[in-house]
PDB file of all heavy atoms in Angstrom:
ATOM      1  N   PHE A 250      95.181  66.258  76.252  1.00 92.00           N
ATOM      2  CA  PHE A 250      95.116  66.483  74.808  1.00 92.00           C
ATOM      3  C   PHE A 250      96.511  66.308  74.248  1.00 92.00           C
ATOM      4  O   PHE A 250      97.482  66.219  75.005  1.00 92.00           O
ATOM      5  CB  PHE A 250      94.617  67.902  74.495  1.00 92.00           C
ATOM      6  CG  PHE A 250      95.254  68.964  75.358  1.00 92.00           C
ATOM      7  CD1 PHE A 250      96.557  69.379  75.136  1.00 92.00           C
ATOM      8  CD2 PHE A 250      94.542  69.532  76.428  1.00 92.00           C
ATOM      9  CE1 PHE A 250      97.144  70.349  75.939  1.00 92.00           C
ATOM     10  CE2 PHE A 250      95.133  70.494  77.232  1.00 92.00           C
ATOM     11  CZ  PHE A 250      96.428  70.904  76.995  1.00 92.00           C
ATOM     12  N   SER A 251      96.619  66.212  72.934  1.00 92.00           N
ATOM     13  CA  SER A 251      97.971  66.225  72.389  1.00 92.00           C
ATOM     14  C   SER A 251      98.279  67.640  71.926  1.00 92.00           C
ATOM     15  O   SER A 251      97.384  68.376  71.521  1.00 92.00           O
ATOM     16  CB  SER A 251      98.111  65.208  71.261  1.00 92.00           C
ATOM     17  OG  SER A 251      97.043  65.364  70.366  1.00 92.00           O
ATOM     18  N   LEU A 252      99.556  67.982  71.979  1.00 94.00           N
ATOM     19  CA  LEU A 252      99.942  69.359  71.667  1.00 94.00           C
ATOM     20  C   LEU A 252      99.670  69.678  70.202  1.00 94.00           C
ATOM     21  O   LEU A 252      99.766  68.806  69.339  1.00 94.00           O
ATOM     22  CB  LEU A 252     101.429  69.562  71.952  1.00 94.00           C
ATOM     23  CG  LEU A 252     101.888  69.453  73.406  1.00 94.00           C
ATOM     24  CD1 LEU A 252     103.374  69.796  73.506  1.00 94.00           C
ATOM     25  CD2 LEU A 252     101.077  70.371  74.319  1.00 94.00           C
ATOM     26  N   THR A 253      99.350  70.917  69.949  1.00 93.00           N
ATOM     27  CA  THR A 253      99.237  71.352  68.565  1.00 93.00           C
ATOM     28  C   THR A 253     100.642  71.466  67.985  1.00 93.00           C
ATOM     29  O   THR A 253     101.632  71.475  68.727  1.00 93.00           O
ATOM     30  CB  THR A 253      98.579  72.738  68.451  1.00 93.00           C
ATOM     31  OG1 THR A 253      99.422  73.689  69.117  1.00 93.00           O
ATOM     32  CG2 THR A 253      97.202  72.755  69.085  1.00 93.00           C
ATOM     33  N   GLN A 256     102.390  74.427  69.448  1.00 96.00           N
ATOM     34  CA  GLN A 256     102.893  74.190  70.807  1.00 96.00           C
ATOM     35  C   GLN A 256     104.172  73.352  70.777  1.00 96.00           C
ATOM     36  O   GLN A 256     105.135  73.643  71.484  1.00 96.00           O
ATOM     37  CB  GLN A 256     101.823  73.487  71.651  1.00 96.00           C
ATOM     38  CG  GLN A 256     100.708  74.409  72.134  1.00 96.00           C
ATOM     39  CD  GLN A 256      99.540  73.642  72.738  1.00 96.00           C
ATOM     40  OE1 GLN A 256      99.112  72.627  72.185  1.00 96.00           O
ATOM     41  NE2 GLN A 256      99.033  74.125  73.856  1.00 96.00           N
ATOM     42  N   ASP A 280      97.703  84.309  71.304  1.00 78.00           N
ATOM     43  CA  ASP A 280      96.355  84.775  71.554  1.00 78.00           C
ATOM     44  C   ASP A 280      95.731  84.022  72.731  1.00 78.00           C
ATOM     45  O   ASP A 280      96.192  82.944  73.091  1.00 78.00           O
ATOM     46  CB  ASP A 280      95.532  84.522  70.290  1.00 78.00           C
ATOM     47  CG  ASP A 280      94.535  85.629  70.074  1.00 78.00           C
ATOM     48  OD1 ASP A 280      94.216  86.336  71.046  1.00 78.00           O
ATOM     49  OD2 ASP A 280      94.071  85.774  68.929  1.00 78.00           O
ATOM     50  N   VAL A 281      94.675  84.606  73.288  1.00 77.00           N
ATOM     51  CA  VAL A 281      93.998  83.906  74.383  1.00 77.00           C
ATOM     52  C   VAL A 281      93.529  82.549  73.912  1.00 77.00           C
ATOM     53  O   VAL A 281      93.078  82.391  72.782  1.00 77.00           O
ATOM     54  CB  VAL A 281      92.775  84.681  74.932  1.00 77.00           C
ATOM     55  CG1 VAL A 281      93.216  85.908  75.656  1.00 77.00           C
ATOM     56  CG2 VAL A 281      91.797  85.038  73.844  1.00 77.00           C
ATOM     57  N   GLY A 282      93.692  81.571  74.785  1.00 80.00           N
ATOM     58  CA  GLY A 282      93.231  80.232  74.460  1.00 80.00           C
ATOM     59  C   GLY A 282      94.147  79.461  73.548  1.00 80.00           C
ATOM     60  O   GLY A 282      93.815  78.380  73.086  1.00 80.00           O
ATOM     61  N   SER A 283      95.332  80.010  73.288  1.00 86.00           N
ATOM     62  CA  SER A 283      96.223  79.300  72.371  1.00 86.00           C
ATOM     63  C   SER A 283      96.987  78.174  73.071  1.00 86.00           C
ATOM     64  O   SER A 283      97.669  77.397  72.430  1.00 86.00           O
ATOM     65  CB  SER A 283      97.188  80.285  71.703  1.00 86.00           C
ATOM     66  OG  SER A 283      97.914  81.000  72.663  1.00 86.00           O
ATOM     67  N   GLY A 284      96.870  78.086  74.372  1.00 92.00           N
ATOM     68  CA  GLY A 284      97.466  76.963  75.088  1.00 92.00           C
ATOM     69  C   GLY A 284      98.885  77.212  75.550  1.00 92.00           C
ATOM     70  O   GLY A 284      99.765  76.345  75.434  1.00 92.00           O
ATOM     71  N   LYS A 285      99.129  78.366  76.112  1.00 94.00           N
ATOM     72  CA  LYS A 285     100.475  78.705  76.563  1.00 94.00           C
ATOM     73  C   LYS A 285     100.849  77.952  77.839  1.00 94.00           C
ATOM     74  O   LYS A 285     102.010  77.594  78.045  1.00 94.00           O
ATOM     75  CB  LYS A 285     100.581  80.222  76.821  1.00 94.00           C
ATOM     76  CG  LYS A 285     100.408  81.053  75.557  1.00 94.00           C
ATOM     77  CD  LYS A 285     100.575  82.532  75.820  1.00 94.00           C
ATOM     78  CE  LYS A 285      99.418  83.130  76.588  1.00 94.00           C
ATOM     79  NZ  LYS A 285      98.160  83.180  75.827  1.00 94.00           N
ATOM     80  N   THR A 286      99.823  77.709  78.694  1.00 94.00           N
ATOM     81  CA  THR A 286     100.115  77.093  79.988  1.00 94.00           C
ATOM     82  C   THR A 286     100.798  75.733  79.831  1.00 94.00           C
ATOM     83  O   THR A 286     101.769  75.432  80.531  1.00 94.00           O
ATOM     84  CB  THR A 286      98.813  76.920  80.800  1.00 94.00           C
ATOM     85  OG1 THR A 286      98.002  78.065  80.602  1.00 94.00           O
ATOM     86  CG2 THR A 286      99.107  76.746  82.264  1.00 94.00           C
ATOM     87  N   ALA A 287     100.272  74.930  78.915  1.00 96.00           N
ATOM     88  CA  ALA A 287     100.826  73.588  78.738  1.00 96.00           C
ATOM     89  C   ALA A 287     102.296  73.663  78.331  1.00 96.00           C
ATOM     90  O   ALA A 287     103.128  72.884  78.819  1.00 96.00           O
ATOM     91  CB  ALA A 287     100.019  72.816  77.695  1.00 96.00           C
ATOM     92  N   GLN A 315      93.397  78.301  89.215  1.00 88.00           N
ATOM     93  CA  GLN A 315      93.162  77.533  88.001  1.00 88.00           C
ATOM     94  C   GLN A 315      94.438  76.855  87.507  1.00 88.00           C
ATOM     95  O   GLN A 315      94.423  75.681  87.124  1.00 88.00           O
ATOM     96  CB  GLN A 315      92.631  78.474  86.939  1.00 88.00           C
ATOM     97  CG  GLN A 315      92.389  77.797  85.616  1.00 88.00           C
ATOM     98  CD  GLN A 315      91.985  78.831  84.599  1.00 88.00           C
ATOM     99  OE1 GLN A 315      90.932  79.451  84.732  1.00 88.00           O
ATOM    100  NE2 GLN A 315      92.827  79.037  83.609  1.00 88.00           N
ATOM    101  N   PRO A 431      94.206  75.544  69.459  1.00 77.00           N
ATOM    102  CA  PRO A 431      93.873  74.126  69.328  1.00 77.00           C
ATOM    103  C   PRO A 431      92.692  73.954  68.386  1.00 77.00           C
ATOM    104  O   PRO A 431      91.777  74.776  68.366  1.00 77.00           O
ATOM    105  CB  PRO A 431      93.508  73.729  70.759  1.00 77.00           C
ATOM    106  CG  PRO A 431      94.263  74.680  71.625  1.00 77.00           C
ATOM    107  CD  PRO A 431      94.326  75.958  70.850  1.00 77.00           C
ATOM    108  N   ARG A 434      87.785  74.429  67.346  1.00 74.00           N
ATOM    109  CA  ARG A 434      87.023  75.474  68.026  1.00 74.00           C
ATOM    110  C   ARG A 434      86.203  76.273  67.023  1.00 74.00           C
ATOM    111  O   ARG A 434      86.726  76.721  66.012  1.00 74.00           O
ATOM    112  CB  ARG A 434      87.968  76.407  68.777  1.00 74.00           C
ATOM    113  CG  ARG A 434      88.661  75.672  69.894  1.00 74.00           C
ATOM    114  CD  ARG A 434      89.142  76.624  70.944  1.00 74.00           C
ATOM    115  NE  ARG A 434      89.864  75.870  71.965  1.00 74.00           N
ATOM    116  CZ  ARG A 434      90.965  76.298  72.547  1.00 74.00           C
ATOM    117  NH1 ARG A 434      91.466  77.450  72.224  1.00 74.00           N
ATOM    118  NH2 ARG A 434      91.544  75.560  73.461  1.00 74.00           N
ATOM    119  N   GLY A 546      92.879  85.018  81.818  1.00 53.00           N
ATOM    120  CA  GLY A 546      93.164  83.594  81.809  1.00 53.00           C
ATOM    121  C   GLY A 546      92.162  82.579  82.305  1.00 53.00           C
ATOM    122  O   GLY A 546      92.437  81.397  82.254  1.00 53.00           O
ATOM    123  N   ASP A 548      89.504  79.801  82.595  1.00 75.00           N
ATOM    124  CA  ASP A 548      89.228  78.796  81.590  1.00 75.00           C
ATOM    125  C   ASP A 548      88.094  77.877  82.033  1.00 75.00           C
ATOM    126  O   ASP A 548      88.282  77.008  82.865  1.00 75.00           O
ATOM    127  CB  ASP A 548      90.523  77.991  81.372  1.00 75.00           C
ATOM    128  CG  ASP A 548      90.386  77.023  80.231  1.00 75.00           C
ATOM    129  OD1 ASP A 548      89.740  77.379  79.237  1.00 75.00           O
ATOM    130  OD2 ASP A 548      90.916  75.905  80.354  1.00 75.00           O
ATOM    131  N   PRO A 550      85.489  75.629  79.938  1.00 81.00           N
ATOM    132  CA  PRO A 550      85.040  75.251  78.596  1.00 81.00           C
ATOM    133  C   PRO A 550      83.519  75.243  78.449  1.00 81.00           C
ATOM    134  O   PRO A 550      82.998  75.439  77.349  1.00 81.00           O
ATOM    135  CB  PRO A 550      85.616  73.843  78.421  1.00 81.00           C
ATOM    136  CG  PRO A 550      86.742  73.757  79.395  1.00 81.00           C
ATOM    137  CD  PRO A 550      86.386  74.639  80.544  1.00 81.00           C
ATOM    138  N   ARG A 574      87.513  84.155  76.468  1.00 83.00           N
ATOM    139  CA  ARG A 574      87.080  83.209  77.507  1.00 83.00           C
ATOM    140  C   ARG A 574      86.109  82.205  76.932  1.00 83.00           C
ATOM    141  O   ARG A 574      85.918  81.125  77.476  1.00 83.00           O
ATOM    142  CB  ARG A 574      86.365  83.922  78.668  1.00 83.00           C
ATOM    143  CG  ARG A 574      87.155  84.948  79.433  1.00 83.00           C
ATOM    144  CD  ARG A 574      88.342  84.342  80.077  1.00 83.00           C
ATOM    145  NE  ARG A 574      89.532  84.804  79.407  1.00 83.00           N
ATOM    146  CZ  ARG A 574      90.587  84.073  79.189  1.00 83.00           C
ATOM    147  NH1 ARG A 574      90.616  82.812  79.568  1.00 83.00           N
ATOM    148  NH2 ARG A 574      91.622  84.566  78.578  1.00 83.00           N
ATOM    149  N   ARG A 577      85.640  77.825  73.808  1.00 75.00           N
ATOM    150  CA  ARG A 577      86.553  76.737  74.132  1.00 75.00           C
ATOM    151  C   ARG A 577      85.849  75.403  74.187  1.00 75.00           C
ATOM    152  O   ARG A 577      86.484  74.370  74.330  1.00 75.00           O
ATOM    153  CB  ARG A 577      87.222  77.012  75.479  1.00 75.00           C
ATOM    154  CG  ARG A 577      88.017  78.286  75.413  1.00 75.00           C
ATOM    155  CD  ARG A 577      88.637  78.637  76.727  1.00 75.00           C
ATOM    156  NE  ARG A 577      89.513  79.772  76.495  1.00 75.00           N
ATOM    157  CZ  ARG A 577      90.578  80.035  77.211  1.00 75.00           C
ATOM    158  NH1 ARG A 577      90.904  79.246  78.215  1.00 75.00           N
ATOM    159  NH2 ARG A 577      91.323  81.065  76.930  1.00 75.00           N
TER     160      ARG A 577
HETATM  161  P1  ADP B   1      96.207  80.659  77.180  1.00 72.05           P
HETATM  162  O1  ADP B   1      97.197  80.606  76.082  1.00 72.05           O
HETATM  163  O2  ADP B   1      95.147  81.663  76.944  1.00 72.05           O
HETATM  164  O3  ADP B   1      96.848  80.768  78.532  1.00 72.05           O
HETATM  165  P2  ADP B   1      95.448  78.107  78.151  1.00 72.05           P
HETATM  166  O4  ADP B   1      96.807  77.605  78.381  1.00 72.05           O
HETATM  167  O5  ADP B   1      94.649  78.518  79.323  1.00 72.05           O
HETATM  168  O6  ADP B   1      95.456  79.280  77.100  1.00 72.05           O
HETATM  169  O7  ADP B   1      94.645  77.045  77.300  1.00 72.05           O
HETATM  170  C1  ADP B   1      93.329  77.292  76.921  1.00 72.05           C
HETATM  171  C2  ADP B   1      92.522  76.014  76.877  1.00 72.05           C
HETATM  172  O8  ADP B   1      92.957  75.210  75.814  1.00 72.05           O
HETATM  173  C3  ADP B   1      92.672  75.174  78.134  1.00 72.05           C
HETATM  174  O9  ADP B   1      91.411  74.627  78.421  1.00 72.05           O
HETATM  175  C4  ADP B   1      93.628  74.108  77.722  1.00 72.05           C
HETATM  176  O10 ADP B   1      93.419  72.913  78.452  1.00 72.05           O
HETATM  177  C5  ADP B   1      93.251  73.910  76.275  1.00 72.05           C
HETATM  178  N1  ADP B   1      94.320  73.396  75.451  1.00 72.05           N
HETATM  179  C6  ADP B   1      95.616  73.768  75.491  1.00 72.05           C
HETATM  180  N2  ADP B   1      96.329  73.112  74.554  1.00 72.05           N
HETATM  181  C7  ADP B   1      95.458  72.328  73.890  1.00 72.05           C
HETATM  182  C8  ADP B   1      95.572  71.385  72.810  1.00 72.05           C
HETATM  183  N3  ADP B   1      96.747  71.152  72.218  1.00 72.05           N
HETATM  184  N4  ADP B   1      94.459  70.754  72.393  1.00 72.05           N
HETATM  185  C9  ADP B   1      93.266  71.005  72.973  1.00 72.05           C
HETATM  186  N5  ADP B   1      93.083  71.849  74.002  1.00 72.05           N
HETATM  187  C10 ADP B   1      94.159  72.510  74.467  1.00 72.05           C
END
Side-chain angles (χ1 to χ4, degrees):
F250 44 75
S251 49
L252 295 185
T253 63
Q256 283 169 316
D280 216 339
V281 291
S283 56
K285 295 182 288 292
T286 321
Q315 178 185 295
R434 295 203 183 140
D548 187 38
R574 299 299 110 217
R577 299 177 173 208

